[in-house]
Amino acid sequence: YGHQSEAFQIGYRDGMIAGGKDRSKNKKFRPTKNDKYEDADHGYTDDYGSKKEYKREYREGFVAGYERGYGSLYSHGNG
């Protein structure tokens, strides 16, 4: 996919890690029940501008990354 914002990329990475952890502990698929998702300000600096916008993009990335991290143990080279 195209160019993603820094907020999205950081959220995506965090989400992948969180999703993989939850999966390995046999936890339910719950990307939004995560401290990092709720805070959504990991990596934020004033240079970025709107914190509200940052959080929105971070959460978008987090959920996408979480799905990938959580589901990656199921997929067989189709990702």
Side-chain angles (χ1 to χ4, degrees):
Y1 43 57
H3 176 73
Q4 298 291 355
S5 71
E6 200 175 340
F8 185 97
Q9 288 170 4
I10 293 171
Y12 189 88
R13 278 198 301 271
D14 288 350
M16 262 185 91
I17 293 164
K21 275 186 187 161
D22 282 0
R23 177 74 187 87
S24 69
K25 293 176 183 166
N26 292 315
K27 285 189 177 176
K28 284 194 171 75
F29 180 87
R30 297 193 314 186
T32 59
K33 293 278 181 252
N34 186 283
D35 289 344
K36 280 202 161 105
Y37 178 91
E38 286 171 15
D39 296 341
D41 57 4
H42 180 209
Y44 176 81
T45 62
D46 290 338
D47 300 339
Y48 196 87
S50 164
K51 194 167 196 178
K52 190 178 170 197
E53 187 64 17
Y54 185 94
K55 288 184 168 198
R56 190 185 64 75
E57 291 177 7
Y58 178 95
R59 287 186 173 126
E60 225 172 82
F62 189 94
V63 170
Y66 185 99
E67 283 175 2
R68 176 111 193 257
Y70 192 96
S72 63
L73 295 170
Y74 293 119
S75 64
H76 298 284
N78 58 357

